[in-house]
Amino acid sequence: MSEVLRQGATQEESHVEGHHNGHHNGHSFWKKWHKAESFISKYIFSMDHKVIAKQFLFTGMFWGVMGGLLSLVFRLQLAYPDTPLPFLEVILGKWGEGGILDPNFYNSLITIHGTVLIFFVLTGGLSGTFANLLVPLQIGARDMASPFLNMLSYWTFFLASVVMFVSIFLPWGPAASGWTAYPPLSALKDLPNMGIGMDLWLVSIVLFIVSALFGGLNYVTTILNMRTKGMTMARLPLPVWGMFIASVLGLLSFPVLLAAGVLLLADRHLGTSFYLSEIFFNGQALPNYGGSPILYQHLFWFLGHPEVYIIIIPAMGLVSEVLAVNSRKPIFGYTAMVISMASIMFLSFLVWAHHMFVSGMNPFLGSVFMYMTLAIAIPSAVKVFNWIFTIWKGNLRLTPAMVFALGFVATFIIGGLGGIFLGNAVNDILLHDTYFVVGHFHVVMGVSALLAMFAAIYHWFPKMFGRMMNRTLGYIHFLFTIIPALLVFVPMHHMGMAGVPRRYYSFQSFDYLSQWQDINVFITIAAIIGFSGQLIFFYNFFYSMFRGKKPTSNNPWKATTLEWTTEDMAPGHGNWKGPIPTVYRWAYEYSPPYLKDSDYVPQHVPPERVKKEPEKVTGEVA
Amino acid sequence: MTFGEFMLLVAGIFILAWIIFSIGHLIELNKNPEEFSDSHNKRTAWALFIIIYVGGMLASAYSVWYYLERKLPEPASVQGVWIQTINDLNVIATGIVFLITTTMLFVYIIRYYGRKERRAEYIPGKIKVEMAIVVAVAIGLMILILPSGWYWFKIMSPAPENAVKVEVTGYQFAWLFRYPGPDGKFGKRDWRLISPDNPLGIDPNDPAGHDDIVTTEFKVPVDKPVALHIRSKDVIHSFFIPAFRMKMDAVPGVPTFMWFTPKYTTEEMRERTGNENFIYEVACAELCGSGHSSMRTTLDVVEPQEFEQWLSKQTAWYETYNKNKAALAESQQ
Ligand code: HEM
Ligand SMILES: [Cu+2]
Ligand SMILES: [Cu+2]
């Protein structure tokens, strides 16, 4: 089938080529065809994990920019709710008539912003990129277990992206139900912006889930079956553990969201009543009876909560690696790190209803979920302390990646502590659906996961593109990211404690909200700066891709893991020119006392060599 | 800040950023990006410490002060006091943990930045340390959570028998209230009976509903428990009284419930807050469509006799309903 797919594509391409070159002689035509064919199979419908990783990365970056731009539009609305801004009409057309943002479109903006950042950037962009890049390279495999499924995973993701993208520009308006898409709001298709836009949103999510399942199945199978000789599970680098655990979590929870989405589509179009009952709408009593909107919330959060950990567990793995490499010190408590990730995964299934404390749920259930939620804080705390103890007594090489990783730890602490407030059911009666929640999840998921993603990009950039990124620009990018991010999201915690509800188009209808208007302006300025700061990154990224300095060796960070032993990063299933290296030890042999001149022992260096000439142990392929 | 000033500020910051950017770009050009000299690490570590840690702590302090100027007035319900207490307890507990962990993180950065003559210590971790973390965190959380478990059941338990009953119904984008009348019982409702004359769909054939009062005004007596039955006609809303620190979702098809005991009348709150325009505002806290941010109503807390008086002056829903029906029949004849 892969052949069919590939041929389909090539034929289409050859058509175009043929059209252009109709009067050329046959010889050059065939030559071009072959060239096009190999270009397409190499870079577009590629089954090579390294290329697919880049495809995920570029798609994620695209959506990152898109999501950021959407947020700037609604931030402007919040800062200047009644100042007509004529350029809004220019960019938004009828949604910005007279320079005033349409309230339904405001809701659409927050919906698409949240959805694409959570699913397309932090799930697809982050896990998709680094699971693809690192899983085969770090476990010592020539490619994924099923390269074809891998390609399919990217292209379903691409399709989901296209559907979402199209939905934004249709005249009926993109979905306006919030990323959580609670029915009945999302089920009543006569509401403004809840027609085709909402259907496309659901279709896009369904496609995305399919893509995540393809990807997850592949990562899990690959990690279980394709490890090189000597690479036991207990020797896996932590990024691989992170991807493994997050993939299992995704495989077990995503299907539930799929079901929730399909049932919602049925309620919208087939007249079923899964989520609907006793609704009087548009001057009419709807016939639906017996369903419950709460059922949707249970189904949604059964994925929705694990989803946040599907995002953060791979981020944790990546950060653990960057911290250890650049501290020149083993990760503190490797086993504890793995166990804590696994217990977070397990507990993730038992806490979902902490998003529903005030939905009218049975209070006994509420208290159970409160205890389970605070239980999940324990493994999270273990991880934080282990990161801190990893840099303790280390010899910190403060690369841009390391700085981003430290930023991850700092912001994860803030966000995790915010979670303690929200997980407390009593406190959540006040804080639920206020800006406190917005602050919490942006700090812990938005900011810290993004910092982890940047850390990983700066760290593995030489591996991906064979060049180094500009270091000073990296630091400047860091400052222009973390400072605005904290200025945006820390005040939101205070707003939430002062009872400011989230998802408000303006603060003008309430006396008690008007005093927060200044803060809204402040946050908007910080958001604009933070967004612009990313331009530094994009410049650095693309400049370095073509013009960056070449690393002096294969292993510029002097890391122990296998990905740094490959020379050949050209597309194609191979990774290692010769045989795949054998692994002799864990991934964190940094600064062992028996070494004098060097401070690390790569996983693939045989113990005899270490014993014989410890001073000559480096990452170079033997 | 006007929009013009705002644009100027943003432009200024852009120019500044551009200068920093250009310098940064040039600095790096003739350096080896794999070489991390001692002085480089030292500078980076101290920059992080001063900009992020010291700057961040100062900014946090300022932000807390700013918040204290704008926080909600003191909680005006008995339950609100409990909730606020738990919130304040959380502020203190997490504040301490925040200070300890971030200080550790940043002190280690300036203490252990990379130097050629130093070596990291090979410490793969100790099971005892991990166990200690688990036990300490678990105990801390238990202490934090025990009072909450207790208050949660107090807040969520059924209202006392003598509570004043009120029903609130949310719809796009307003709230409508119903009082049960002298019999203390709400008449049955059916969403299929909703009409302009009968906005709640009260069953005209249920005698319990004949004395029900339907009103847009929300008045309750002070110091008495109020049992609020919460309903929605169309999508999910959430009834949020910030001054009481309480909210509960309004879910179509699923009746929900909340009870509270107001501590101060509106008049008393005006004195206590020094704000003569103070009014208890009620907000919607669940995204419900384009009018979500203006779905406002108010609550008036009054002395019990005033409440009784007000209630006795209201006309029962059924009377108006019948009158309208009669008028309709007449106009049709
Ligand atoms: C210490 C651990 C954490 C605890 C105890 C915790 C607790 C909570 C609770 C109780 C809520 C519901 C608040 C409400 O809606 O009223 C919440 C919301 C949320 N949390 Fe966390 N959290 C923790 C860590 C995280 C992490 C690590 C992430 C993501 C990586 C995360 C992402 C989110 C998101 C996205 C929401 C909001 C979803 C929404 O309503 O739109 N949380 N958290
Ligand atoms: Cu959750
Ligand atoms: Cu609302």
Side-chain angles (χ1 to χ4, degrees), chain A residues 493-514:
Chain A
H493 290 80
H494 295 315
M495 293 167 78
M497 276 191 219
V500 181
R502 71 194 276 207
R503 292 168 171 171
Y504 264 31
Y505 167 70
S506 89
F507 290 6
Q508 291 171 306
S509 305
F510 289 84
D511 298 344
Y512 85 106
L513 297 184
S514 53

Side-chain angles (χ1 to χ4, degrees), chain A residues 280 286 363 374 386 394 396 424 427 430 432-433 471-472 475 494 504 511-512 515 539 549 552 589, chain B residues 25 28-29 31 34-35 40 63 87 90 112 114 118 122 130 145 148 152 191 233 247 281 284 286:
Chain A
F280 184 85
L286 302 189
L374 292 184
N386 281 350
L396 313 182
N424 187 317
N427 210 163
L430 166 63
H432 175 67
D433 263 330
R471 209 166 40 172
T472 314
Y475 298 126
H494 295 315
Y504 264 31
D511 298 344
Y512 85 106
Q515 52 173 345
Y539 172 82
K549 292 211 169 95
T552 48
E589 197 73 346
Chain B
H25 193 216
E28 201 60 23
L29 283 184
K31 286 201 177 155
E34 288 165 59
E35 181 59 37
H40 175 104
S63 134
N87 187 79
N90 274 329
Y112 300 113
R118 277 192 67 240
Y122 184 84
E130 308 290 350
I145 205 79
S148 303
W152 173 251
W191 83 105
K233 277 209 278 198
K247 67 170 71 70
E281 293 185 292
C284 177
E286 182 67 61

Side-chain angles (χ1 to χ4, degrees), chain A residues 118 122 178-180 182 300-301 304-313 315-316 344 351-358 369-370 372-381 408 412-413 415-425 427-434 436-438 440-446 448-449 502-503, chain B residues 141 247 286:
Chain A
I118 290 176
L122 294 176
W179 81 279
T180 47
Y182 280 5
F300 180 85
W301 288 116
H305 181 81
E307 167 63 18
V308 307
Y309 284 100
I310 292 170
I311 290 171
I312 210 72
I313 292 178
M316 289 167 162
I344 288 176
V351 301
W352 78 88
H354 64 207
H355 297 269
M356 303 162 57
F357 283 138
V358 296
F369 279 103
M370 163 162 77
M372 296 317 287
T373 300
L374 292 184
I376 212 169
I378 298 175
S380 307
F408 167 91
F412 188 78
I413 292 174
L417 291 175
I420 305 281
F421 288 70
L422 296 171
N424 187 317
N427 210 163
D428 195 54
I429 300 176
L430 166 63
L431 298 177
H432 175 67
D433 263 330
T434 65
F436 192 97
V437 179
V438 182
H440 159 69
F441 72 73
H442 276 93
V443 170
V444 77
M445 179 170 80
S448 69
R502 71 194 276 207
R503 292 168 171 171
Chain B
L141 284 172
K247 67 170 71 70
E286 182 67 61

Side-chain angles (χ1 to χ4, degrees), chain A residues 6 225 268 320 566 611:
Chain A
R6 256 200 289 175
N225 292 322
R268 284 170 63 81
S320 305
T566 62
K611 230 180 238 157

Side-chain angles (χ1 to χ4, degrees), chain B residues 21-98:
Chain B
F21 167 81
S22 312
I23 296 174
H25 193 216
L26 293 177
I27 284 181
E28 201 60 23
L29 283 184
N30 42 17
K31 286 201 177 155
N32 175 3
E34 288 165 59
E35 181 59 37
F36 288 81
S37 66
D38 294 3
S39 63
H40 175 104
N41 281 333
K42 184 175 181 178
R43 246 183 296 130
T44 314
W46 277 97
L48 282 181
F49 186 81
I50 291 169
I51 300 177
I52 308 292
Y53 179 72
V54 179
M57 286 297 167
L58 291 177
S60 310
Y62 176 75
S63 134
V64 169
W65 171 82
Y66 192 93
Y67 160 72
L68 291 176
E69 301 263 287
R70 281 162 186 75
K71 64 180 186 91
L72 286 171
E74 66 175 302
S77 70
V78 173
Q79 292 75 7
V81 175
W82 302 336
I83 296 171
Q84 189 66 49
T85 310
I86 297 290
N87 187 79
D88 296 347
L89 210 68
N90 274 329
V91 171
I92 295 167
T94 56
I96 294 171
V97 177
F98 170 71

